[in-house]
Amino acid sequence: DAKTTQPTSMDCAEGRAANLPCNHSTISGNEYVYWYRQIHSQGPQYIIHGLKNNETNEMASLIITEDRKSSTLILPHATLRDTAVYYCRHTGTASKLTFGTGTRLQVTL
Amino acid sequence: DTGVSQDPRHKITKRGQNVTFRCDPISEHNRLYWYRQTLGQGPEFLTYFQNEAQLEKSRLLSDRFSAERPKGSFSTLEIQRTEQGDSAMYLCASSLAGKGPYGYTFGSGTRLTVV
């Protein structure tokens, strides 16, 4: 799969929405965007994935631009427990999972 | 099912010693993956199994590394003649084939320190 570009770190106040951007300008038409996060000392955890349409689940919302070259993960009401490294990648359905260096989100009081 | 289990959680070993880690996946998952993660980096793929067959190995998996999944259930990762550069978190994950890269469940990892 191809690489993505994410900010190295972000801060967010507790209770506010956290908006994490990701650029994936080389995404192919059949590739999904997917997000995982890793809380300190734990394994990565699946958050959400999408192809073209915006997606929402109990954890987050994923907004994908019309040209699919970028996306934003939204945590609507961030809590301290959302402090983690967030990974954005894109790949086809048959591919293995890979990670970059991600965005370190710090949620503060 | 309590998820993916890894044992031990921590291992300290002297350089040159052999170490073995175990991973118990979610019982109905037929794929099992090993990753390595060093400080400040995302996890890096090492190898994966579908049932008992090892289908892919990364270039990171040197000759000193060997992984097995003898009965298609649990897996072991052995590192022979450990080096300080092997110090890392070793993560195991499992999934169902065909679910793509979104249905992975990771364990909490084994942290290896080579002194």
Side-chain angles (χ1 to χ4, degrees), chain A residues 1 30-34 89-93 95-97, chain B residues 101-102:
Chain A
D1 68 341
N30 62 346
E31 290 187 323
Y32 285 75
V33 178
Y34 58 94
R89 302 295 274 182
H90 61 89
T91 192
T93 56
S95 299
K96 62 182 178 292
L97 189 66
Chain B
Y102 354 103

Side-chain angles (χ1 to χ4, degrees), chain B residues 3-23:
Chain B
V4 177
S5 299
Q6 292 190 247
D7 183 68
R9 287 297 308 276
H10 303 274
K11 178 71 176 179
I12 300 174
T13 191
K14 292 183 178 179
R15 189 173 51 187
Q17 297 292 306
N18 299 342
V19 294
T20 300
F21 311 140
R22 178 180 169 122
C23 172

Side-chain angles (χ1 to χ4, degrees), chain A residues 6 16 22 26 35 49 79 82 96:
Chain A
Q6 299 179 254
R16 304 297 293 268
C22 179
T26 60
W35 287 78
H49 73 281
T79 71
D82 292 321
K96 62 182 178 292

